[in-house]
Amino acid sequence: MLRKTPVALALAAAFCSSPSLAQSPADTPVTRLREVTVTATRTEREVDAVPNTVTQHDAKDSQQRGARDLKDLLATELDVAVRAAPARFTAAGTPTGRAGNEGINIRGLEGNQVLVMVDGIRLPNTFSFGAFSSGRLDLVDVDQLQSVDILRGPASAQFGGDGLAGAVNLTTLSPDDLLTQGKTLAGRVRLSASTVDDSFATTAAIAHAHGDLKTLLKLTHRQGHETDSRGDNEALDSRRTRPDPMDIGSNSLLAKARLRVNAQHRLNATLEARERKQDTEVYSARTAPASTATTRVLDLDGRDKAQRQRASLEHQFEDLNGTWLQQARTTVYAQTSKTRQYAFEDRNTTDRIRDGFYKEALLGLSTQGQTQLSGALPQRLSYGVDLSRSAISGLRDGTVPPAGETFPSKPFPDTRYTLGGAFVQSEIDSGSLTLIPGLRFDHYKLSPSATGYTGPIVRLSDQAVTPRLGLIWRATPALAPYAQLAGGFRAPTPDQVNNGFANPVQGYSSIGNPNLKAEKASSLELGLRAQTGELHWHLAAYDNHYRNFIKQELVSGGFATRDAVYQYINLNQAHIYGAEARVQWQASTQLRLDAGLAYSHGNTKAAGVETPLDTVLPLRANLRLRYESGPWTAHALLTRMNGKARSQVADATWFVPPGATTLDLGLGWKINPQFELQANLKNLGNARYWQWSDVRGLLANSTVLDASTAPGRSVQLALNALF
């Protein structure tokens, strides 16, 4: 392992090097801008004019709060969490923490039940098998993003499968974001460093306009180490609670070109690439000296690499005077991703190697049109088609395979996943009422290949029809109740339908399920938005029912009899309901207050027996103050996380962390129109706490609970410049 570079050196470099990204002048009066989303309806609508809950984050917010990744960026969300357990994996047993930032939890569902897109293109699935575990969020660099939209509730009527709990659309920077105020050449540079992982990041972007052609090139390099915790045991074995040493490096590239062909037609081309490497010295996997185990682990080293590349070409048409078509957008794209994880385990007997990968190659086309209809019932009609095909594969390799197995082997057969969908939606504005009905038809097909796979395989295809109906009533200029009924579905993944694994020595196996059905969702959200002067508030309540809920369960036998069989099955149902409150008060042109609270409750039901749904988050509340005056900006974020109720944890042996309160502070100083300094102090009180999304499943009698604590007090500094 390489020695850490002291963060003090990185911070010094930040203040001695080139400057970074500056934002709008700090002395500009603060006003409440109308936020616009395209995720809620696939058309441009103000966030306050959609029949469900949508929140947004932009690049300015991300930079002011010193976000290193999506977990940091979404930390202010009440009903959203990013799971990232500490890296304490083993070579052939548990993958704990190896997936990094695994995925997003929205209102109690997570993983592949949440649709995550970059510029409207789906990110790869999460995947876990044995000691291998790949996430999806580390395939994106937060510094490449211009905005993030988070949509609650089923998104299948808009985007097809996977959006069972909601959708997150990550929008990358465009040339127009830099080429403001008539500029033909503009650039941004940002240097940042953080003590929480002793990291240093450099981001540089340049945009150029020449006639009708605009281009953008943006590069980001990030180098860091393990994320800190409150654990203080530095033993070089399984007793350790300090984070295992890591070296983490990533490089990201974004290139865009936008050509204005004429007044109606534009072409946009995008190239995106990201590579992330992680080397881990897994002290926590070493056998403790007091152990009587005959096979002792003397050392474990992990070498992981994740990469994603995307190319897309988009055609935009706009003619507001067109007779039957006013807007159209067509995108063709290709995306490849691969996660490879290698581990070398030194034992007092035979050493072991584990080498595995998970890969997806995606091709797709999406086209959408809009037509404004007049007559007795004026409305905006949108319609489109989405087609995609993914080639999905995985491999397990190494030395000393488990008893009864041979290497290399496939955890599931190579599979082509084909998805085709067509949708239609109407937005009817009539006086004080807005009605938004939508309907989508999808057909999906899983086509596995027997090549290299030893188990039985089964082909699966099906279709789904998902409706959506939204209503907004502007009862008064200041009061707008809304309601939405929405359906959703998620097709089974290849590893759920076809998988085969057995370890007869340990007495357990995992089998596929050829009868697995798609998950289905029925969601109702009722809400109320109101505005009184500079006070804005939003209340929402939701009730989500899921059928054929997919979960891996012990279906026969048990470890006591050494014949435990696991399988993904359709549970009878799952039910999640909850409520949220959000308030925004612009107290003056300089001071703004945001506050909120979210509560949810969930359970699953199988064979008439109800069981708490552990992925549901505990109650959470926050209060944020933001101040801007002249060249100064400041913010404070107070967050309260309640402890999970014991009655809402399915397994009585699990650790249930207590509640906690944290305070974050931030300060910005605009030295001049080009240069800006930003500083953030996280967890000011150095609170010792655990986040439920990260520790779920940890045993209460564990002697290393402190290893899973959230980071203590840390400092983040950044230097931004605009030219």
Side-chain angles (χ1 to χ4, degrees):
M1 298 291 294
L2 299 176
R3 293 178 58 86
K4 286 188 177 181
T5 301
V7 75
L9 296 180
L11 297 178
F15 286 98
C16 297
S17 303
S18 301
S20 165
L21 162 60
Q23 300 296 337
S24 57
D27 55 0
T28 301
V30 178
T31 58
R32 184 176 185 269
L33 299 177
R34 295 290 186 180
E35 296 178 322
V36 175
T37 177
V38 296
T39 307
T41 60
R42 290 185 63 156
T43 59
E44 289 189 356
R45 291 190 71 88
E46 292 181 1
V47 168
D48 288 345
V50 297
N52 52 347
T53 302
V54 178
T55 53
Q56 294 184 319
H57 298 268
D58 59 18
K60 180 179 179 180
D61 178 53
S62 173
Q63 292 173 10
Q64 285 183 342
R65 293 197 288 111
R68 298 171 300 124
D69 51 30
L70 285 169
K71 186 176 180 69
D72 278 353
L73 179 59
L74 302 182
T76 59
E77 291 290 341
L78 299 167
D79 53 355
V80 174
V82 173
R83 179 172 170 83
R88 293 178 66 88
F89 55 88
T90 61
T94 173
T96 302
R98 200 160 191 182
N101 289 319
E102 295 182 24
I104 299 176
N105 183 311
I106 296 181
R107 289 180 173 174
L109 294 187
E110 62 186 16
N112 296 326
Q113 294 168 324
V114 174
L115 176 62
V116 184
M117 302 173 288
V118 177
D119 295 334
I121 299 170
R122 297 163 185 261
L123 281 181
N125 284 333
T126 61
F127 172 73
S128 181
F129 191 97
F132 183 96
S133 185
S134 65
R136 51 168 45 164
L137 299 189
D138 286 332
L139 294 172
V140 179
D141 194 303
V142 71
D143 283 341
Q144 305 287 73
L145 303 178
Q146 178 61 25
S147 65
V148 177
D149 277 22
I150 306 167
L151 168 68
R152 281 78 167 172
S156 298
Q158 301 98 301
F159 302 104
D162 298 345
L164 203 68
V168 179
N169 191 27
L170 313 173
T171 303
T172 55
L173 194 74
S174 74
D176 290 331
D177 295 321
L178 273 69
L179 298 172
T180 58
Q181 301 176 344
K183 295 178 181 177
T184 58
L185 180 65
R188 295 176 177 179
V189 178
R190 176 178 175 85
L191 303 176
S192 63
S194 176
T195 63
V196 74
D197 59 355
D198 208 13
S199 64
F200 181 76
T202 303
T203 296
I206 186 168
H208 179 251
H210 179 73
D212 292 325
L213 177 65
K214 296 180 179 179
T215 57
L216 167 75
L217 178 64
K218 186 168 189 179
L219 300 170
T220 299
H221 173 74
R222 192 179 300 272
Q223 196 74 37
H225 302 275
E226 67 278 2
T227 299
D228 205 1
S229 73
R230 292 297 309 278
D232 56 10
N233 187 330
E234 297 186 0
L236 304 183
D237 52 54
S238 59
R239 299 168 298 172
R240 183 181 181 87
T241 59
R242 290 287 298 163
D244 287 325
M246 287 184 178
D247 288 335
I248 303 173
S250 66
N251 293 293
S252 301
L253 176 147
L254 178 67
K256 289 190 174 183
R258 182 174 185 179
L259 176 64
R260 183 178 181 271
V261 179
N262 55 39
Q264 291 81 36
H265 297 271
R266 289 177 174 82
L267 291 175
N268 301 313
T270 301
L271 292 175
E272 185 188 5
R274 174 164 168 81
E275 180 180 86
R276 183 180 186 273
K277 295 181 179 180
Q278 173 180 300
D279 294 344
T280 310
E281 183 73 62
V282 195
Y283 290 140
S284 60
R286 297 180 180 180
T287 306
S291 172
T292 60
T294 56
T295 300
R296 300 176 60 82
V297 177
L298 306 177
D299 188 34
L300 178 63
D301 296 316
R303 304 285 183 265
D304 300 345
K305 180 179 178 180
Q307 52 190 341
R308 180 177 67 90
Q309 301 85 30
R310 185 253 297 194
S312 60
L313 180 63
E314 178 186 70
H315 170 255
Q316 289 180 310
F317 167 81
E318 183 176 61
D319 182 2
L320 299 182
N321 296 318
T323 305
W324 65 275
L325 180 67
Q326 286 81 47
Q327 290 184 348
R329 183 190 302 262
T330 300
T331 305
V332 292
Y333 56 87
Q335 177 178 266
T336 61
S337 64
K338 182 178 181 180
T339 298
R340 184 174 182 178
Q341 296 176 351
Y342 173 91
F344 174 77
E345 184 181 56
D346 181 12
R347 302 192 295 176
N348 66 332
T349 56
T350 306
D351 298 341
R352 293 192 296 187
I353 292 175
R354 290 293 183 267
D355 188 6
F357 72 79
Y358 176 80
K359 182 167 62 176
E360 290 192 19
L362 173 67
L363 294 173
L365 178 147
S366 177
T367 184
Q368 175 180 334
Q370 289 184 34
T371 300
Q372 193 72 38
L373 301 178
S374 57
L377 193 62
Q379 57 189 290
R380 178 167 63 173
L381 195 67
S382 55
Y383 40 86
V385 173
D386 299 303
L387 302 171
S388 67
R389 170 173 285 186
S390 298
I392 306 172
S393 60
L395 187 71
R396 302 170 63 241
D397 204 352
T399 62
V400 193
E405 282 199 84
T406 59
F407 281 157
S409 66
K410 294 180 179 293
F412 59 88
D414 295 350
T415 304
R416 290 198 316 271
Y417 174 48
T418 304
L419 177 64
F423 75 95
V424 61
Q425 174 187 268
S426 179
E427 298 166 72
I428 306 168
D429 289 300
S430 179
S432 62
L433 291 177
T434 296
L435 189 67
I436 307 178
L439 188 68
R440 182 180 176 104
F441 171 82
D442 282 281
H443 177 81
Y444 61 89
K445 182 179 181 181
L446 281 78
S447 304
S449 169
T451 303
Y453 186 71
T454 58
I457 64 171
V458 62
R459 297 177 181 271
L460 178 67
S461 64
D462 205 347
Q463 51 274 330
V465 176
T466 48
R468 176 175 185 257
L469 179 61
L471 175 67
I472 305 169
W473 175 35
R474 290 171 291 280
T476 70
L479 196 66
Y482 69 85
Q484 176 175 271
L485 281 168
F489 85 98
R490 184 183 77 95
T493 58
D495 60 296
Q496 292 172 337
V497 175
N498 291 297
N499 80 32
F501 173 80
N503 189 324
V505 174
Q506 298 296 326
Y508 65 92
S509 63
S510 175
I511 61 175
N513 187 350
N515 300 313
L516 206 57
K517 300 177 182 178
E519 295 178 335
K520 297 292 182 69
S522 299
S523 171
L524 170 64
E525 178 171 334
L526 301 175
L528 180 65
R529 295 186 179 97
Q531 176 179 349
T532 304
E534 296 302 320
L535 180 66
H536 304 257
W537 50 274
H538 176 202
L539 300 176
Y542 57 90
D543 189 68
N544 299 336
H545 290 266
Y546 304 95
R547 306 181 305 279
N548 300 327
F549 200 71
I550 298 175
K551 192 175 182 182
Q552 191 174 39
E553 295 282 299
L554 179 67
V555 294
S556 67
F559 279 96
T561 56
R562 306 186 70 78
D563 60 353
V565 179
Y566 288 87
Q567 186 182 50
Y568 284 97
I569 63 173
N570 291 113
L571 300 178
N572 289 348
Q573 66 178 28
H575 181 206
I576 302 175
Y577 60 88
E580 302 172 6
R582 304 169 192 268
V583 177
Q584 181 187 106
W585 178 37
Q586 192 73 52
S588 68
T589 56
Q590 292 82 30
L591 183 63
R592 171 175 158 176
L593 179 148
D594 295 270
L597 181 146
Y599 165 81
S600 58
H601 178 98
N603 57 62
T604 60
K605 188 174 182 180
V609 178
E610 287 192 357
T611 304
L613 185 59
D614 294 312
T615 51
V616 170
L617 302 172
L619 185 143
R620 181 184 175 99
N622 62 23
L623 172 67
R624 187 181 184 192
L625 296 173
R626 284 182 275 190
Y627 178 79
E628 297 189 26
S629 178
W632 296 99
T633 62
H635 73 266
L637 174 65
L638 184 69
T639 303
R640 172 63 189 177
M641 296 158 283
N642 270 17
K644 186 83 168 176
R646 173 64 70 178
S647 61
Q648 287 303 302
V649 179
D651 193 326
T653 66
W654 283 9
F655 170 60
V656 180
T661 302
T662 62
L663 176 63
D664 299 339
L665 300 177
L667 181 67
W669 175 36
K670 198 169 190 61
I671 303 170
N672 57 41
Q674 285 75 42
F675 295 88
E676 183 178 15
L677 288 175
Q678 294 169 339
N680 282 275
L681 182 59
K682 305 291 184 71
N683 193 2
L684 174 66
N686 204 29
R688 179 175 175 271
Y689 70 102
W690 296 261
Q691 298 188 63
W692 174 252
S693 60
D694 297 345
V695 304
R696 187 180 69 245
L698 191 64
L699 293 178
N701 63 0
S702 171
T703 59
V704 291
L705 291 175
D706 283 355
S708 300
T709 49
R713 186 185 301 114
S714 65
V715 178
Q716 188 268 352
L717 296 177
L719 176 62
N720 302 324
L722 172 68
F723 62 86

